[in-house]
Amino acid sequence: MRHNFYRIILIAGLLLTSAANSQIHALDGLRYTAETQASFSSGANTPFWLVNNKQGLSSIKNNSGYVRAAVFRDMDSTDHRFRWGAGADIAGCWNFTSSFVIQQLYFEARYRSLGLLIGQKEINGIFSNPRLSSGDLLYSGNARPIPQLRVGLPEYTFVPFTKQWLAVKGYIAFGAFTDDGWQRHFANKTAKRTKHALYHGKAIFFRIGQTQRSWNVEAGLEMAAQFGGSSIRNGQTTKMPVSFKDILKVIFAGGGGSNTPIGEQLNVYGNHVGTWNLAANYSPAPGWLLKAYYQHFFEDHSMMFFQFPWRDGLWGFEAKFPKNRIISGFVYEFLYTKFQSGSVYWDKTSQIPHQISGKDDYYNHSIYTGWQHWGMGIGNPLVISPIYNNDGTIQFTSNRLIGHHIGFMGQPLKQLGYRALFSYTRNWGTYFKPLNNIKSNFNALIELTYSPERLRGFEATLGVGIDRGSLIGNSTGAMITIKKTGIL
């Protein structure tokens, strides 16, 4: 299945490239990026905000860095029926999980409102500001991109006969995780790891409000799953089936067949995660924005609907002030994940025929290594990623927490901008393995970016990060990035 997936990507890419070349003969608008980055730190790890929400191209090791080169062709923004784009982005690294990284390699196309993506491309969350937010609960931009085939409506498209008051967007995707080698190297001899795991994602979002008005409301459901592949623990391998029927069960979150472990049969096949999303936007003038948003996270069927109170979630507020040089953007977020359907779980049996849903164990799973890729959590990074574990286990060791996050940025001078992030969490561990004491975690980042007017396309960034607390330890460090962008 995994090899067939890559063959499908290759064949479809060749066919679409041929179609694109027949439409557009010149590679106009080709742009490039050359970048080098180095971090220096002391303490337990590289400071938190110098590592997280960087699309997985980062390292917790104290002194690390990379040299990166990329070429992109962005899709033409003019009103063409057929548009296409592509990107290749590679990095050579030191003190990373890999010495060579293919960060992005993709082809995308759109015909009218329909869109297609083949390959791996950096994708951020639906609602969150990727520069200021702590990150969406499902996709935060914290882990390396997952190679996939994605089709759907990438941008909001008006629903007919609604006088442009209602718009919809969404997608369905299948792909494959690429961290088999890292898991084999990182996991201890008795720890759980997986190989050849597959990915599935889907979403549908609605927007109410006309574009020429100053307000709109967005709401939607986004889901993802890990399935297929094999789970390895204590030398024992559990192979998960990938027939057409199994794929249908993943799409519709159905229970596993008799050839799956009993837990998959009683619940759903694969590791299913998702979010309900709601946002209200107010924009009194172009560039200005006031946004309030909420994300409700769920695992499998528990907490997906209203069987339990929706206590867990991410509450956020964002403001943009484009004419204010001191603070042009601001985000505050509150994260609560302690409830997780309660502290009791029981699958019904003939002796006790009652189902009690609880102990959802966010981002973890009994068969798969959880909602992570290359050790980095795919969801919100304040739930500390498995790569921080010192015991060779690939799991989230503290997913019950209360957190606060603030981010703001500005451009006080024409050539000088800044960004600041501050996060604080209190952590209880997990229901299955609670911490002996509540552990705190404070993370801060101050970042300055200098773009000299005389050296067009050059940009230099200095970031200083600080961690304090008993969860991941104390660290202090700095990161220097030099980047050159331009048009080929």
Side-chain angles (χ1 to χ4, degrees):
M1 176 68 183
R2 184 185 181 92
H3 297 299
N4 290 336
F5 171 77
Y6 285 119
R7 291 191 188 105
I8 291 171
I9 283 184
L10 177 60
I11 294 171
L14 291 173
L15 291 174
L16 286 168
T17 302
S18 175
N21 286 332
S22 68
Q23 296 286 331
I24 302 172
H25 299 288
L27 288 173
D28 56 328
L30 206 64
R31 62 181 176 89
Y32 70 89
T33 298
E35 179 177 309
T36 183
Q37 184 178 97
S39 67
F40 310 92
S41 57
S42 62
N45 310 285
T46 301
F48 185 86
W49 285 122
L50 297 180
V51 174
N52 289 276
N53 282 355
K54 293 183 176 292
Q55 297 287 345
L57 192 59
S58 56
S59 174
I60 67 170
K61 295 182 180 179
N62 281 343
N63 300 307
S64 60
Y66 65 75
V67 176
R68 182 180 187 181
V71 177
F72 302 98
R73 187 197 186 277
D74 298 323
M75 283 191 289
D76 193 344
S77 60
T78 57
D79 188 21
H80 293 301
R81 288 189 175 183
F82 180 83
R83 297 173 288 159
W84 69 277
D89 181 3
I90 61 174
C93 313
W94 64 94
N95 265 344
F96 274 50
T97 53
S98 303
S99 58
F100 176 75
V101 174
I102 300 177
Q103 181 68 5
Q104 299 182 86
L105 186 62
Y106 66 88
F107 177 90
E108 57 184 343
R110 293 186 189 178
Y111 179 74
R112 295 182 183 268
S113 298
L114 295 175
L116 178 146
L117 169 67
I118 299 173
Q120 57 190 70
K121 181 183 180 182
E122 295 181 349
I123 299 174
N124 292 302
I126 294 290
F127 287 162
S128 63
N129 183 320
R131 296 273 294 160
L132 299 180
S133 171
S134 66
D136 278 15
L137 295 181
L138 194 60
Y139 299 103
S140 64
N142 189 52
R144 288 193 197 174
I146 299 172
Q148 60 189 269
L149 173 64
R150 175 184 289 218
V151 295
L153 302 173
E155 304 294 338
Y156 278 116
T157 301
F158 290 117
V159 177
F161 311 113
T162 62
K163 297 182 179 180
Q164 298 188 351
W165 273 90
L166 179 63
V168 62
K169 68 178 179 180
Y171 68 87
I172 185 169
F174 283 93
F177 292 85
T178 62
D179 60 349
D180 293 2
W182 173 82
Q183 289 196 36
R184 185 172 60 253
H185 173 76
F186 183 87
N188 66 47
K189 292 182 179 180
T190 61
K192 175 179 58 186
R193 63 181 177 91
T194 59
K195 63 179 182 179
H196 307 331
L198 300 176
Y199 159 81
H200 166 59
K202 54 184 173 284
I204 185 168
F205 283 83
F206 296 94
R207 185 185 67 194
I208 301 174
Q210 291 182 316
T211 54
Q212 64 266 32
R213 293 179 177 267
S214 59
W215 63 270
N216 64 68
V217 175
E218 300 173 88
L221 171 66
E222 190 166 23
M223 299 179 66
Q226 294 169 296
F227 71 104
S230 299
S231 177
I232 304 167
R233 185 185 335 208
N234 289 323
Q236 301 295 317
T237 299
T238 302
K239 186 173 178 57
M240 304 296 284
V242 190
S243 67
F244 179 71
K245 289 184 178 179
D246 295 313
I247 293 175
L248 290 179
K249 291 173 183 177
V250 171
I251 294 175
F252 296 104
S258 59
N259 56 347
T260 62
I262 188 64
E264 304 294 280
Q265 299 175 41
L266 294 173
N267 295 289
V268 296
Y269 172 50
N271 178 27
H272 290 253
V273 292
T275 52
W276 287 101
N277 308 270
L278 179 65
N281 306 284
Y282 175 68
S283 178
W288 294 74
L289 175 68
L290 295 176
K291 173 190 281 189
Y293 52 95
Y294 168 68
Q295 283 192 312
H296 168 71
F297 185 79
F298 58 87
E299 289 260 2
D300 298 332
H301 292 152
S302 301
M303 294 285 287
M304 184 176 180
F305 297 108
F306 297 101
Q307 182 181 3
F308 298 96
W310 283 16
R311 299 177 185 174
D312 294 340
L314 178 72
W315 289 259
F317 171 78
E318 179 182 1
K320 292 182 180 179
F321 314 108
K323 295 184 179 181
N324 189 323
R325 289 186 173 272
I326 304 303
I327 298 181
S328 60
F330 173 84
V331 164
Y332 167 73
E333 292 175 336
F334 172 71
L335 177 61
Y336 188 96
T337 65
K338 282 188 64 182
F339 181 53
Q340 301 189 24
S341 302
S343 60
V344 179
Y345 177 80
W346 177 260
D347 279 323
K348 63 182 180 181
T349 65
S350 57
Q351 291 78 24
I352 306 178
H354 298 286
Q355 167 72 33
I356 303 175
S357 297
K359 294 186 176 180
D360 284 346
D361 204 13
Y362 290 168
Y363 297 159
N364 285 320
H365 192 259
S366 60
I367 294 174
Y368 295 93
T369 50
W371 194 229
Q372 64 83 37
H373 197 210
W374 290 85
M376 299 296 288
I378 303 172
N380 189 289
L382 295 180
V383 182
I384 299 301
S385 297
I387 201 167
Y388 285 90
N389 297 343
N390 296 318
D391 59 358
T393 58
I394 307 176
Q395 62 181 347
F396 294 83
T397 59
S398 183
N399 54 27
R400 299 183 64 235
L401 61 91
I402 298 175
H404 300 268
H405 172 81
I406 293 175
F408 54 93
M409 61 189 297
Q411 191 80 25
L413 301 175
K414 185 177 181 180
Q415 302 177 54
L416 184 67
Y418 80 93
R419 180 171 67 125
L421 304 177
F422 301 94
S423 304
Y424 175 76
T425 63
R426 300 183 73 217
N427 300 265
W428 280 259
T430 68
Y431 275 125
F432 295 95
K433 192 174 181 180
L435 297 174
N436 293 329
N437 300 295
I438 299 172
K439 293 188 177 183
S440 63
N441 189 34
F442 172 76
N443 315 109
L445 169 72
I446 301 294
E447 186 179 85
L448 298 175
T449 299
Y450 176 61
S451 305
E453 193 170 3
R454 293 182 179 180
L455 299 175
R456 182 171 298 179
F458 276 94
E459 184 178 281
T461 301
L462 171 64
V464 176
I466 297 174
D467 294 346
R468 294 293 183 268
S470 54
L471 186 65
I472 60 174
N474 298 335
S475 300
T476 302
M479 178 176 286
I480 300 172
T481 307
I482 299 175
K483 181 165 66 173
K484 174 68 171 70
T485 59
I487 303 296
L488 291 175

